[in-house]
Amino acid sequence: MQATKMNVTQAMQDLLPLNQQEELVDLPNNYPLSASEDERDSDGERKHQKLLEAIVSLDEKNRWKLAERTEACLKISELNVSAEGSGEKLVLSDLLKPGRTSSSLAAMKKQLNRVKFRKTLVLPFNKKEIEQIYREVAFNKASQTLSKWDPIVLKNRQAEQLLFPLEKEQSAFVHNELVFSGCKARTPLEQEVFNLLHKNKQPVTDPLLDPMEKASFKAMSLEEAKMHRAELQRARALQSYYEAKAQREKKIKSKKFHRFVKKKKANKTLKDFDQLCKVNPTVALDELEKTEKTRMMERMSLKHQNSGKWVRSKINMARYDLEARQAVQKQLAKNKELTEKLQVISESEDEERGAKEEDPLVLDLVNEIQMCADGPNPWMLRNCNSNTKKDEIQTFPVQVPEPVVQKFSKSEEDERSAAEEENFLEEFEERQSFGKRFQLNQETKPVGSQETKDSSSQDILYKLRALNQKFNKENHYSRKQTVSQAGTILQGQREESALEEEEFLLLQRPERIQILEELEDLGKEGYFQNKELPRPLLKWEQMKRNPNNQTDAPKEQKKEQMIDLQNFLTTKSPSVKSLAFPTAIEELEDEEERNLKQMIKEAFAGDDVIRDFLKEKKEAVEANKPNDVDLKLPGWGKWGGVGLKLNAKKGHRFLIKAPEGPPRKDKNLPNVIISEKRNICAAAHQVQVLPYPFTHYQQFERTIQTPIGSSWNTQRAFQKLTTPKIVTKPGHIIKPIKAEDVGCLSSSRLDLSVIQSITAQPTGNHKKQLKKTFVD
Amino acid sequence: METVPRPGRGPQSKKNKPQAKRKKPRRYWEEETAPTAAGASPGPPRKRKNLELGRHRQKNSHSSKKSWLSKKSQFPRKSQEQKQPGGEKKPGPQRSLSGFQDPFPGPAPVPEEVARKFCRIDRSKELPHSLPKTRSKLEVAERVEEEISAKAARSELLLAEEPGFLEGEDGEDTATIRQADIVEAVDIASAAKHFDLNLRQFGPYRLNYSRTGRHLAFGGRRGHVAALDWVTKKLMCEINVMEAVRDIRFLHSEALLAVAQNRWLRIYDNQGIELHCIRRCDRVTRLEFLPFHFLLATASETGFLTYLDVSVGKIVAALNARAGRLNVMAQNPYNAVIHLGHSNGTVSLWSPSVQEPLVKILCHRGGLQAVAVDSTGTYMATSGLDHQLKIFDLRGTFRPLSARTLPQGAGHLAFSQRGLLAAGMGDVVNIWVGRGKASLPPLEQPYLTHRLAGPVHSLQFCPFEDVLGVGHSGGITSMLVPGAAEPNFDGLESNPYRSRKQRQEWEVKALLEKVPAELICLNPRALAEVDVISLEQRKKERTERLGFDPEAKVPFQPKPKRKGRGSTASLVKRKKKVLDQEHRDKVRQSLEQQQQQQQQQAKPAGVRLSALDRFVR
């Protein structure tokens, strides 16, 4: 009310000129008009006073302060009530309150209160939002319905061939019996056939299913099976719910809750018990006894140290009573005694002990090898190793302690195998040494210099260690029983042999590679005659001939791998011995042959084919290299002019080196120049875009590597490869797929009409419902 | 690529021509061995008892029959096949309607080695991780391949014919067996395949067999050109072109004949009527015809290699070899690459779509005399003026596998369908044989030798016949070489017994299936590969156009968590964790790469690893 009044005054102020305003100032204040009773002069004074006040208040912000009532007056206007002075808030109900409380007004007050505390109604959604909500719901439902089609869609996408229009395949099969029942042999041919069938005891009617099987087939129809399945599913679901609930409850930490639950349970049992008493007193008695017994057992077990009633009371008493204290302690002691766990002595300790005994032996083995490995020659290393082992094996029966005797038969076997291994080892050593000599003999082969030896020995060491570890693991079991040194040695030996086998395999390869080179070498030295000799012999011979080559062998390491072009072309290959020689040179003697060769050599002395070729290759390589970018400009960073040389260092700085391309294909082939130029015309026929599901070109390449043409495939395969993806019947309408077509889905839920109904605008009733749900 | 055998169509036409049935090289051995093998158990080839005696007797009386001609008996293989399913017989009884049990249940087993031959998917490369969708496609592809290869392997059974061969007894050298002996031993139809044409008048002859092996064309240096059905010896045409004839070649069928004459290349039909005179190909020395591309490749004295498309009559490419006169040429039947031999000892490999040689191989110190490539495209035989005969491996390494010095360099070389190598040296022809099909012939002992009336001028093995045609200065000789040719032919592809109508149909089909000339490259399977370079280029351009890489990995966005754990700080933390992990991986990879590079640098570049390298520090 005050506010409205203020508004009114302000409006009036705006309207009236200033001098009138001043008069108006007091007007609302409604000074008592009965001031006429006062003296006239005092009146003038008062007016002056007012004016002053008004002027002062002009520059203040809040010019229109409510006037204070400074003096008492009889008549108080109801419009002019203010609580300014009192500092309290004026409550509406206070105003309504009468001086005395009247009961008639209380109800009204209550009503007023209720009005005041009632919440305002939420605005209803506007049309847009409602539509959006509808759409969301509809979408969810539709997507759920449609997701049932997913497997079918996937199947159709992956299918090799689709046949349209869709036809439901007839699953019902006709029994032989039914077919045959109507069939009777009429024509003589048919009769003959039937006769034949009967003669050979061929079953005419269906013999495959006996009545039991038939019954079992009929036992459960599809609907029944479905129902049964649904039931089972429900039961399972219920069980899982229950389990989940129990788990959830178990996890709740609140003691109060658990107490509550316990109490509930107890109450329930009590109730049950009461009922049982009424129904079957004997059983109830038994039950009672049982519960009593369990209680007693619990007490006896002293599972509860100090949670029992008695103990608690004793604890309370223990402060003052010595006896009680003792009783409590006794109780605790007893509890401790009873709850102590029995210690079971494990048997595995023995095994461990055995294993520990093993380890030093293994270590010995390794150490031994290490010691040997320090020796200069890795090849000798193996020799001495195996030798030592042999010695040990020979002394083996002596070393065997008495307790192992019962295992002796087994160890004998081992010995035998060891002997075999020995043989093998010797053989192998021979081979190795042979290989070694063979290597040494090769002029161009890198033969172990000191460093290589070291590295190789280390390599071997490493391998041995790894092997030992492995075999430790493996043989832990067996060794537990026969703790003997000999066993370990044997094992070691076995490992060794395995290792050597590996090495041997590695060794064999280079040998094979070298044979060709060697042959060429042979040719160079003019070994035409021993062509018939077996290769190993040749090698031996060669070995005998040049044993001195060993010393300078290690120097040429890198050279040896590349085929020396010169070598490769100049080597003479063995000549062919043919029965028929061309007539032109049949009479040629050896000398003449030599002369001829000399002539040829002279003829080709001028044109050095090899040098030309190398030059050509170099040019090709240069031409194919990416060019460096030279950003040098004359005069940059230096004086320019004729005859001035640019600093190489500075020139280097301005050179941008081109990135090195991929290595040439003919990098390792000295006699070949392979063009690096891309065949653009052929590339135009290649696939340039990866089709959809492939992310890498290699994946796609795999799918197109099989040719589909009929010239590469059999007719059947060709037909299979070129079957059309979709086959349609001409003149037939292809209807959209229906649930019935698929068969596996129930039809009512899957119809597209359901989706349509969802997407359609809701009717009034539906709308109301929806609104309700969303507003609440 | 192995093509699937389709022998089923062959015999049909055979029935029409009972006389022509004799064509199989095996057949004559069969009839030969039949009386001697009667009663003998089919097993290892029989040995002749008394070698010396037998040979003497031959010289005295020609009536005695030889038994050193043998063939691999079919019986052991068949018995194996029968055993195989028996071994796999399952003990479980399979009930049929009558209670009869199938002794060989299930489908017949597929011989795995044979099936592997038809598997074309290259599994050597490791595939990058693939999505489930992709994986299903890959699986389908592999399954299809397996099925198809099994089918092809099954149809191998239809290849009834087996190659024959000569076998010496007790270390007898087969090279000592003369043609006359062979002719005497074989049946009359096969004996008729050995003949000599004495044509001393018109100088050394070049010859060429048609693709079916039925027709023979030859041209003498002094202008004599003739074509005949050499099996029936029916002359198709005989003319004198009154000009030097350098080379002669059948085009796709026996109806067309290309003759490289002194000045220009001319094309005649099978009646000797000149159809074309191609003036753009002048001074041609050698001709090659690429049957699947319909290209006639000509090498000229002027140093040009010209490809003429005979189906449209257009010159596809004229390549300058820049190596002087070209007179050594061969084609690789595997990939249709032309091999040219040059006077500087190199062999260059050419494709019409590339202006420079695909590969250049230095083979000999002297100039090249002859080049030949085997039918699988694995080996190339070269002979040079340095009197050497070398066999090179064409599978990427181009290294000589074996080399021999011949008393007089081989002037002409030819590979047969089954990998026999013939070399003409002066007036002698030597033939070497490898073990098994398409294996490298070891050049130690010749399989056969034959001396001719004059120096050899041309050599070619007849397809599908165990015959080697030799053109020399004294005319033409047709030699019998047991085991030279493929015994089974594809009735639809090259049928020796086809009628005129069949030939016409084949012609249409072949023209429809013509392979474009651009596709000739070293690897004929390149079409089944993706053009990686343009793929990358496209990808790059696309990212440039879009401003971002659409296939790039999406930066990790952590899932919002509930129950008060989805604070921004934790989100950021998780994001950072993933980022750090990625960064760590990257660093680790780069470190590994650096190490590898260092190792590579430490090792001499381009050195092939040997087993002993591990000891080198």
Side-chain angles (χ1 to χ4, degrees):
Chain A
M1 269 194 277
Q2 280 179 344
T4 49
K5 195 189 75 191
M6 286 251 302
N7 280 348
V8 170
T9 49
Q10 259 178 345
M12 282 169 72
Q13 276 164 22
D14 290 339
L15 290 172
L16 293 172
L18 197 77
N19 52 351
Q20 283 176 359
Q21 259 184 28
E22 281 164 21
E23 280 193 328
L24 202 97
V25 167
D26 50 358
L27 203 145
N29 286 349
N30 233 342
Y31 276 96
L33 294 173
S34 58
S36 54
E37 291 171 359
D38 298 346
E39 299 106 355
R40 285 273 163 202
D41 47 1
S42 69
D43 190 63
E45 208 175 317
R46 196 170 55 93
K47 267 190 178 170
H48 183 244
Q49 183 72 28
K50 274 222 153 180
L51 185 71
L52 277 179
E53 270 179 15
I55 289 164
V56 166
S57 68
L58 259 181
D59 47 7
E60 281 177 20
K61 264 189 185 164
N62 193 7
R63 276 192 287 182
W64 305 107
K65 260 189 182 174
L66 290 171
E68 261 179 65
R69 233 183 329 163
T70 50
E71 52 197 279
C73 59
L74 285 172
K75 203 178 176 185
I76 297 168
S77 163
E78 58 170 13
L79 296 171
N80 211 13
V81 184
S82 83
E84 207 165 291
S86 63
E88 287 171 18
K89 206 180 172 192
L90 195 70
V91 188
L92 188 61
S93 55
D94 288 345
L95 291 177
L96 287 171
K97 217 191 276 177
R100 292 168 296 167
T101 52
S102 70
S103 56
S104 62
L105 277 175
M108 197 179 155
K109 193 183 155 195
K110 239 184 200 169
Q111 224 171 0
L112 203 68
N113 263 339
R114 209 183 303 149
V115 167
K116 203 176 159 194
F117 288 115
R118 168 163 282 189
K119 274 180 193 166
T120 48
L121 283 177
V122 184
L123 268 176
F125 286 113
N126 57 15
K127 207 178 169 189
K128 241 186 189 175
E129 277 171 328
I130 288 168
E131 269 173 7
Q132 194 184 346
I133 286 157
Y134 281 138
R135 261 178 310 190
E136 257 172 45
V137 172
F139 171 76
N140 282 339
K141 277 199 176 173
S143 63
Q144 221 173 25
T145 331
L146 284 178
S147 71
K148 280 166 194 162
W149 287 92
D150 283 352
I152 294 153
V153 170
L154 195 71
K155 207 182 94 194
N156 280 356
R157 271 189 194 152
Q158 286 175 349
E160 281 171 18
Q161 194 175 40
L162 292 175
L163 292 165
F164 290 114
L166 289 168
E167 273 166 25
K168 200 180 171 188
E169 63 266 30
Q170 293 294 322
S171 61
F173 64 95
V174 189
H175 274 276
N176 274 357
E177 226 163 327
L178 289 174
V179 176
F180 275 102
S181 61
C183 176
K184 269 178 191 172
R186 279 170 208 143
T187 59
L189 179 69
E190 275 176 4
Q191 273 171 356
E192 232 171 277
V193 168
F194 268 80
N195 270 344
L196 215 65
L197 283 176
H198 284 302
K199 214 180 267 175
N200 292 335
K201 285 172 188 170
Q202 290 279 4
V204 180
T205 53
D206 177 30
L208 286 179
L209 297 177
D210 47 0
M212 283 279 281
E213 281 171 328
K214 267 179 201 168
S216 71
F217 264 118
K218 279 179 187 170
M220 204 179 276
S221 70
L222 189 66
E223 279 77 40
E224 271 178 47
K226 269 185 181 170
M227 270 168 65
H228 183 68
R229 193 161 141 265
E231 234 166 70
L232 279 177
Q233 265 179 346
R234 199 166 150 267
R236 242 176 287 140
L238 280 177
Q239 195 185 352
S240 71
Y241 293 155
Y242 184 77
E243 272 170 12
K245 195 186 168 192
Q247 243 170 13
R248 230 181 309 129
E249 278 185 354
K250 209 175 136 196
K251 263 189 189 169
I252 291 171
K253 279 179 183 170
S254 158
K255 271 185 185 167
K256 202 174 167 187
F257 171 76
H258 283 295
R259 218 172 285 152
F260 172 74
V261 169
K262 219 186 260 172
K263 212 176 242 173
K264 212 173 163 187
K265 246 185 217 169
N267 280 343
K268 207 190 162 196
T269 47
L270 258 178
K271 227 181 225 171
D272 286 351
F273 183 71
D274 282 348
Q275 222 161 20
L276 205 69
C277 275
K278 272 173 203 164
V279 177
N280 200 349
T282 52
V283 177
L285 216 68
D286 281 355
E287 200 84 339
L288 199 70
E289 231 166 71
K290 221 184 259 173
T291 50
E292 192 64 20
K293 211 173 183 181
T294 49
R295 205 189 74 83
M296 269 159 72
M297 290 284 279
E298 201 183 313
R299 280 259 72 87
M300 290 266 289
S301 71
L302 289 176
K303 220 170 166 183
H304 313 282
Q305 300 187 34
N306 43 14
S307 55
K309 222 178 220 174
W310 175 80
V311 183
R312 229 181 269 165
S313 70
K314 284 287 162 202
I315 285 169
N316 278 343
M317 293 281 282
R319 279 186 213 163
Y320 318 107
D321 192 359
L322 199 75
E323 243 176 59
R325 206 182 295 164
Q326 273 173 353
V328 168
Q329 268 171 4
K330 214 176 176 181
Q331 164 98 349
L332 282 174
K334 190 85 185 164
N335 171 268
K336 214 171 196 179
E337 196 184 310
L338 283 171
T339 53
E340 198 178 27
K341 271 183 191 167
L342 275 176
Q343 288 220 331
V344 185
I345 299 159
S346 64
E347 292 163 30
S348 59
E349 273 188 345
D350 293 16
E351 288 174 32
E352 279 172 28
R353 230 170 283 145
K356 269 171 200 167
E357 275 178 310
E358 283 299 313
D359 281 340
L361 293 178
V362 176
L363 281 177
D364 268 359
L365 194 74
V366 173
N367 285 336
E368 207 173 69
I369 289 149
Q370 268 175 332
M371 271 159 58
C372 292
D374 291 337
N377 195 340
W379 308 107
M380 291 304 289
L381 149 82
R382 192 155 302 118
N383 264 343
C384 72
N385 248 350
S386 50
N387 283 341
T388 51
K389 242 152 253 162
K390 266 181 229 162
D391 292 344
E392 274 169 359
I393 289 156
Q394 277 155 9
T395 56
F396 161 61
V398 186
Q399 283 178 0
V400 173
E402 286 307 310
V404 196
V405 168
Q406 72 262 23
K407 307 262 176 189
F408 203 73
S409 59
K410 193 198 165 199
S411 59
E412 259 182 346
E413 271 176 27
D414 280 1
E415 202 180 10
R416 218 177 301 139
S417 67
E420 276 171 20
E421 272 163 10
E422 232 178 278
N423 279 343
F424 171 72
L425 264 181
E426 273 170 8
E427 220 177 83
F428 179 68
E429 266 165 25
E430 264 180 26
R431 266 183 186 173
Q432 259 189 347
S433 57
F434 165 74
K436 193 181 94 196
R437 264 175 280 167
F438 176 49
Q439 276 171 358
L440 288 175
N441 158 29
Q442 288 281 321
E443 227 179 10
T444 50
K445 270 276 151 209
V447 175
S449 60
Q450 196 63 37
E451 297 146 18
T452 56
K453 274 170 200 162
D454 282 355
S455 69
S456 69
S457 62
Q458 272 176 11
D459 209 24
I460 289 164
L461 246 182
Y462 174 74
K463 264 189 205 162
L464 255 183
R465 251 176 237 151
L467 277 172
N468 264 328
Q469 278 170 9
K470 208 203 280 174
F471 117 73
N472 255 355
K473 268 180 222 155
E474 281 172 5
N475 295 315
H476 180 78
Y477 217 56
S478 57
R479 255 186 284 148
K480 177 183 76 189
Q481 295 157 350
T482 56
V483 187
S484 71
Q485 207 174 0
T488 53
I489 287 162
L490 273 176
Q491 296 279 13
Q493 178 112 16
R494 217 164 285 155
E495 292 297 319
E496 186 80 1
S497 67
L499 177 98
E500 276 167 350
E501 268 175 317
E502 203 179 289
E503 292 273 296
F504 177 61
L505 282 179
L506 285 175
L507 259 177
Q508 272 183 336
R509 205 161 40 127
E511 202 174 328
R512 230 177 296 133
I513 291 166
Q514 283 157 5
I515 282 168
L516 205 114
E517 275 176 60
E518 206 191 12
L519 269 178
E520 279 171 6
D521 283 359
L522 274 177
K524 211 196 288 179
E525 279 154 71
Y527 267 94
F528 295 131
Q529 301 94 302
N530 347 355
K531 192 179 66 195
E532 279 83 18
L533 279 177
R535 268 165 194 167
L537 266 180
L538 282 180
K539 281 177 208 160
W540 282 111
E541 216 166 311
Q542 210 182 1
M543 269 169 238
K544 274 180 226 156
R545 282 186 77 238
N546 41 11
N548 302 336
N549 289 347
Q550 300 169 16
T551 46
D552 49 1
K555 279 183 185 174
E556 303 145 341
Q557 282 198 349
K558 287 173 192 176
K559 237 183 174 181
E560 114 277 348
Q561 312 277 6
M562 289 271 273
I563 315 168
D564 193 4
L565 196 53
Q566 193 81 25
N567 202 14
F568 138 77
L569 277 176
T570 50
T571 49
K572 247 180 233 164
S573 49
S575 65
V576 165
K577 275 193 176 175
S578 173
L579 290 173
F581 278 98
T583 35
I585 53 162
E586 203 168 16
E587 302 87 34
L588 275 180
E589 297 295 311
D590 277 353
E591 276 180 40
E592 281 185 69
E593 202 175 334
R594 218 175 296 143
N595 280 345
L596 191 84
K597 273 172 191 167
Q598 193 63 34
M599 263 173 64
I600 291 168
K601 256 183 199 170
E602 277 168 17
F604 293 114
D607 43 22
D608 193 347
V609 172
I610 296 163
R611 202 196 296 147
D612 284 353
F613 187 81
L614 285 179
K615 202 175 149 196
E616 199 179 338
K617 178 161 183 179
K618 209 173 182 184
E619 276 170 13
V621 170
E622 287 298 322
N624 207 36
K625 256 187 190 168
N627 293 328
D628 296 348
V629 182
D630 194 358
L631 293 176
K632 249 183 316 196
L633 283 178
W636 271 22
K638 215 181 170 200
W639 288 108
V642 184
L644 280 172
K645 251 192 180 172
L646 205 84
N647 192 359
K649 206 174 168 187
K650 269 182 186 165
H652 207 71
R653 220 190 293 161
F654 288 111
L655 199 72
I656 296 173
K657 276 204 171 173
E660 222 171 287
R664 281 180 71 88
K665 283 179 226 154
D666 54 5
K667 211 170 76 179
N668 302 335
L669 309 167
N671 64 326
V672 183
I673 305 171
I674 299 176
S675 163
E676 296 280 315
K677 212 172 171 186
R678 192 166 157 240
N679 189 348
I680 313 163
C681 303
H685 290 271
Q686 286 176 333
V687 179
Q688 294 178 350
V689 186
L690 275 186
Y692 158 58
F694 301 102
T695 49
H696 198 265
Y697 69 92
Q698 280 174 358
Q699 295 166 349
F700 179 57
E701 271 177 11
R702 278 217 177 170
T703 58
I704 57 171
Q705 266 165 355
T706 326
I708 27 177
S710 62
S711 39
W712 290 276
N713 292 308
T714 55
Q715 192 58 29
R716 279 283 186 80
F718 169 67
Q719 275 168 358
K720 212 206 153 190
L721 282 171
T722 53
T723 43
K725 186 100 207 282
I726 292 167
V727 176
T728 54
K729 265 189 198 167
H732 286 253
I733 298 167
I734 299 171
K735 281 177 188 161
I737 192 167
K738 268 187 241 153
E740 290 97 56
D741 294 333
V742 184
C744 60
L745 303 160
S746 69
S747 57
S748 61
R749 263 189 286 165
L750 258 187
D751 234 340
L752 281 174
S753 58
V754 175
I755 298 159
Q756 281 169 2
S757 73
I758 290 164
T759 46
Q761 277 299 319
T763 53
N765 194 13
H766 195 180
K767 215 172 189 174
K768 254 182 215 165
Q769 265 188 349
L770 262 181
K771 209 177 208 172
K772 207 175 171 186
T773 51
F774 284 111
V775 165
D776 282 348
Chain B
M1 246 191 265
E2 291 279 345
T3 55
V4 155
R6 280 175 303 187
R9 294 139 191 165
Q12 287 173 2
S13 55
K14 261 201 227 169
K15 273 171 196 167
N16 302 335
K17 289 187 177 183
Q19 277 197 327
K21 226 191 220 175
R22 303 261 103 115
K23 185 235 84 175
K24 291 287 152 356
R26 195 183 64 96
R27 293 250 168 202
Y28 26 90
W29 315 140
E30 200 170 48
E31 279 171 31
E32 168 58 27
T33 49
T36 51
S41 64
R46 292 157 302 284
K47 305 268 173 182
R48 190 169 46 152
K49 291 279 158 57
N50 41 0
L51 171 83
E52 295 304 316
L53 210 98
R55 287 191 62 75
H56 284 302
R57 220 189 294 149
Q58 272 161 33
K59 278 179 186 170
N60 299 337
S61 63
H62 288 268
S63 60
S64 73
K65 290 216 167 185
K66 286 197 161 191
S67 66
W68 35 254
L69 295 168
S70 67
K71 71 170 192 71
K72 271 183 201 162
S73 61
Q74 278 177 278
F75 300 104
R77 204 184 73 172
K78 275 194 177 169
S79 63
Q80 268 179 12
E81 274 165 14
Q82 280 170 354
K83 269 174 204 166
Q84 266 183 350
E88 285 179 22
K89 197 170 79 177
K90 283 167 196 167
Q94 269 196 341
R95 281 186 57 193
S96 67
L97 224 62
S98 59
F100 172 72
Q101 278 186 16
D102 187 4
F104 309 112
V110 181
E112 274 206 12
E113 287 135 41
V114 184
R116 206 175 302 136
K117 191 170 67 174
F118 296 105
C119 287
R120 273 89 174 217
I121 289 181
D122 178 22
R123 287 187 175 77
S124 59
K125 280 178 205 157
E126 189 84 352
L127 273 191
H129 175 74
S130 40
L131 301 170
K133 235 176 228 170
T134 325
R135 216 174 300 141
S136 72
K137 286 233 167 185
L138 290 174
E139 274 162 14
V140 165
E142 273 172 23
R143 208 174 54 229
V144 163
E145 187 213 24
E146 204 173 299
E147 263 173 54
I148 285 168
S149 60
K151 270 179 185 156
R154 285 236 168 83
S155 68
E156 192 98 315
L157 190 75
L158 302 171
L159 302 179
E161 306 291 331
E162 280 187 36
F165 56 91
L166 271 180
E167 195 171 276
E169 248 177 40
D170 302 331
E172 187 201 10
D173 195 354
T174 49
T176 56
I177 298 164
R178 291 177 305 151
Q179 280 292 307
D181 301 337
I182 297 174
V183 167
E184 212 172 283
V186 299
D187 63 321
I188 193 163
S190 312
K193 283 169 188 166
H194 171 68
F195 60 88
D196 276 298
L197 298 180
N198 283 324
L199 304 161
R200 297 212 162 268
Q201 214 176 339
F202 295 107
Y205 276 89
R206 297 280 302 171
L207 58 77
N208 182 235
Y209 286 102
S210 67
R211 248 174 76 70
T212 56
R214 190 66 196 263
H215 299 270
L216 172 68
F218 51 87
R221 164 92 48 81
R222 300 196 186 105
H224 178 213
V225 171
L228 70 157
D229 182 346
W230 70 271
V231 181
T232 58
K233 315 283 188 308
K234 199 180 125 201
L235 193 66
M236 285 154 67
C237 69
E238 188 172 22
I239 48 170
N240 198 323
V241 295
M242 306 302 286
E243 208 177 359
V245 170
R246 295 300 194 4
D247 202 355
I248 188 164
R249 202 140 290 249
F250 275 115
L251 296 189
H252 57 277
S253 72
E254 56 271 12
L256 291 170
L257 199 60
V259 181
Q261 294 179 15
N262 192 25
R263 194 70 204 277
W264 292 310
L265 172 72
R266 284 167 206 263
I267 290 173
Y268 297 88
D269 74 350
N270 57 1
Q271 288 163 344
I273 300 165
E274 185 185 318
L275 299 178
H276 301 288
C277 171
I278 296 153
R279 292 186 188 178
R280 284 195 58 191
C281 304
D282 60 333
R283 296 183 186 284
V284 175
T285 53
R286 284 286 178 270
L287 293 171
E288 277 292 343
F289 185 70
L290 310 176
F292 298 106
H293 304 79
F294 282 85
L295 289 180
L296 181 68
T298 60
S300 70
E301 268 179 4
T302 52
F304 273 89
L305 171 66
T306 314
Y307 286 88
L308 174 71
D309 190 334
V310 297
S311 64
V312 291
K314 221 172 75 179
I315 284 182
V316 171
L319 311 169
N320 190 359
R322 292 198 186 82
R325 189 173 189 272
L326 302 173
N327 59 350
V328 179
M329 175 151 91
Q331 68 159 306
N332 187 341
Y334 173 63
N335 52 13
V337 165
I338 293 286
H339 293 227
L340 292 177
H342 304 296
S343 58
N344 58 355
T346 57
V347 170
S348 53
L349 276 58
W350 293 85
S351 150
S353 51
V354 183
Q355 289 292 319
E356 59 183 26
L358 300 172
V359 180
K360 213 167 192 185
I361 314 158
L362 181 58
C363 297
H364 292 275
R365 291 199 79 193
L368 259 285
Q369 274 193 306
V371 177
V373 185
D374 86 320
S375 60
T376 57
T378 318
Y379 306 117
M380 173 177 73
T382 60
S383 76
L385 284 174
D386 57 353
H387 291 189
Q388 285 208 330
L389 172 62
K390 288 182 181 177
I391 295 184
F392 284 81
D393 187 1
L394 286 181
R395 292 168 294 186
T397 57
F398 304 103
R399 288 194 176 190
L401 295 171
S402 60
R404 279 285 176 282
T405 307
L406 304 174
Q408 190 186 13
H412 298 274
L413 291 171
F415 267 110
S416 85
Q417 280 179 327
R418 286 179 53 79
L420 271 66
L421 177 64
M425 307 168 289
D427 59 347
V428 167
V429 172
N430 270 11
I431 298 159
W432 290 276
V433 70
R435 288 177 197 86
K437 200 200 169 204
S439 63
L440 173 72
L443 301 173
E444 287 179 11
Q445 285 290 328
Y447 174 59
L448 277 179
T449 53
H450 185 60
R451 190 186 298 281
L452 301 152
V456 176
H457 195 58
S458 169
L459 274 180
Q460 199 192 351
F461 279 100
C462 178
F464 308 112
E465 293 282 2
D466 284 351
V467 161
L468 171 67
V470 186
H472 48 89
S473 57
I476 302 275
T477 302
S478 169
M479 276 174 68
L480 291 184
V481 185
E486 191 63 50
N488 300 291
F489 61 87
D490 185 343
L492 283 188
E493 194 59 39
S494 46
N495 185 355
Y497 309 114
R498 66 187 175 195
S499 62
R500 194 156 151 261
K501 198 79 194 160
Q502 279 174 325
R503 193 194 75 205
Q504 284 166 354
E505 261 181 38
W506 166 83
E507 206 168 350
V508 171
K509 243 175 218 170
L511 276 169
L512 287 174
E513 287 176 358
K514 187 181 111 173
V515 184
E518 303 99 70
L519 283 179
I520 297 176
C521 50
L522 276 180
N523 178 15
R525 308 217 52 197
L527 199 60
E529 283 167 6
V530 174
D531 184 10
V532 182
I533 294 172
S534 43
L535 186 78
E536 301 273 306
Q537 179 69 19
R538 270 174 184 241
K539 203 172 162 190
K540 210 173 125 195
E541 278 169 8
R542 191 169 167 222
T543 46
E544 218 165 86
R545 198 167 57 230
L546 294 173
F548 68 99
D549 188 4
E551 283 152 24
K553 219 177 105 192
V554 182
F556 173 72
Q557 190 62 42
K559 269 188 192 167
K561 283 199 174 173
R562 292 200 184 128
K563 294 192 176 172
R565 263 166 276 172
S567 71
T568 321
S570 82
L571 276 186
V572 170
K573 226 183 257 171
R574 273 190 287 156
K575 215 188 248 180
K576 195 156 189 204
K577 215 174 171 183
V578 173
L579 274 180
D580 284 348
Q581 186 60 41
E582 279 169 5
H583 187 243
R584 234 172 280 142
D585 285 346
K586 234 181 242 172
V587 168
R588 208 169 285 149
Q589 267 185 5
S590 72
L591 274 177
E592 273 172 18
Q593 273 181 359
Q594 274 180 7
Q595 276 183 353
Q596 276 179 359
Q597 273 181 0
Q598 277 173 1
Q599 277 178 0
Q600 276 180 357
Q601 278 172 0
K603 274 180 201 168
V607 170
R608 269 183 65 197
L609 284 175
S610 84
L612 293 173
D613 275 354
R614 69 188 60 198
F615 304 124
V616 179
R617 177 63 53 91

